[in-house]
Amino acid sequence: MKLTNKDRSNLFWYLIVPSLSIMTLIISFSPWFFELLVAPAGRVFTGINRWSGDYFTYLSYVELGRRGQLGAELLATTYPQNPVFAHLAHTLIGYVFGNLLNLSSVISYHIGRGLFGLIFILLTFVFFYRISGSKKISIISFLLVFFVSGFPKLLSINPFLFGRHFDWLQEQNIIGRAVGPLHYSAGFIFFILAFLWYFSPEKNLL
């Protein structure tokens, strides 16, 4: 049966895009899932183990939101401060999932990573399709951008070791960026939305 243009469009937007997006999200979270499974008995794996000095600060902002505060300040000091609205990506997630839904700051933080990450991944497809107008180019571009540094390369036969291709290209490391810190994902989302809005054919600039 020959597919119509509408059939191809539905296949792309309702099957291929969601499938690749969910797959990418799962792969991005996989190191944290693995470390959670192998955590020693009697210990709790929080997932706040990479660049821990930074991540615990981000987590403290989520905790502020869980306590009902949207303005950010440092919790690890008694020095007088005035809250500033500089980390709303963290405090809003803490407020919604922690304050309103009564989840812990750690769980709220990781839910936020998944939520922002999924939005970012889906918008990336929209971005590539808007600038290329081609479904094939959009898929190829997506795979290259998110997976180019994840392609395996042989490091040694004896011992048998694999590494990541382009592992020096940190900004295209899927493991560290697709579900990275909340302010990273929020920045990516706002950038893509701003680009799509600015170059929208329906927009009339004065």
Side-chain angles (χ1 to χ4, degrees):
M1 184 178 68
K2 187 176 181 179
L3 295 178
T4 65
N5 288 335
K6 184 178 180 181
D7 292 333
R8 293 191 185 94
S9 180
N10 289 337
L11 181 66
F12 177 73
W13 290 112
Y14 298 117
L15 180 62
I16 296 176
V17 169
S19 298
L20 285 176
S21 299
I22 295 298
M23 180 192 73
T24 303
L25 193 71
I26 291 173
I27 292 174
S28 298
F29 264 118
S30 61
W32 283 270
F33 291 144
F34 176 77
E35 290 174 90
L36 177 64
L37 292 175
V38 299
R43 297 188 180 185
V44 177
F45 175 69
T46 64
I48 315 296
N49 61 322
R50 291 171 173 80
W51 303 282
S52 55
D54 292 343
Y55 275 47
F56 275 108
T57 302
Y58 306 150
L59 186 62
S60 72
Y61 297 146
V62 177
E63 174 63 21
L64 286 172
R66 194 184 72 83
R67 297 178 185 183
Q69 178 176 323
L70 295 182
E73 59 181 286
L74 295 176
L75 287 178
T77 180
T78 57
Y79 191 80
Q81 304 170 69
N82 293 318
V84 293
F85 294 95
H87 281 273
L88 286 173
H90 298 89
T91 56
L92 281 173
I93 286 295
Y95 186 84
V96 172
F97 294 103
N99 187 272
L100 299 182
L101 300 181
N102 202 32
L103 299 175
S104 72
S105 55
V106 172
I107 297 299
S108 299
Y109 179 75
H110 290 301
I111 290 176
R113 289 175 57 214
L115 178 62
F116 284 12
L118 183 59
I119 295 172
F120 165 50
I121 291 168
L122 290 170
L123 280 176
T124 303
F125 267 112
V126 178
F127 173 81
F128 285 132
Y129 186 74
R130 176 62 63 88
I131 63 178
S132 70
S134 167
K135 299 178 181 65
K136 290 181 180 179
I137 292 177
S138 299
I139 293 172
I140 293 171
S141 299
F142 177 87
L143 293 175
L144 287 175
V145 163
F146 278 99
F147 291 92
V148 66
S149 68
F151 294 153
K153 66 177 179 180
L154 182 65
L155 297 178
S156 171
I157 296 179
N158 187 21
F160 193 61
L161 295 174
F162 274 97
R164 289 190 298 108
H165 186 60
F166 286 162
D167 56 356
W168 54 271
L169 199 57
Q170 177 64 20
E171 295 303 322
Q172 292 202 19
N173 173 15
I174 179 180
I175 301 302
R177 293 296 174 247
V179 290
L182 297 180
H183 59 292
Y184 277 51
S185 299
F188 298 154
I189 290 169
F190 277 114
F191 174 81
I192 294 176
L193 288 176
F195 182 94
L196 294 175
W197 173 82
Y198 187 84
F199 291 100
S200 171
E202 294 82 15
K203 178 178 64 63
N204 294 317
L205 290 176
L206 297 178

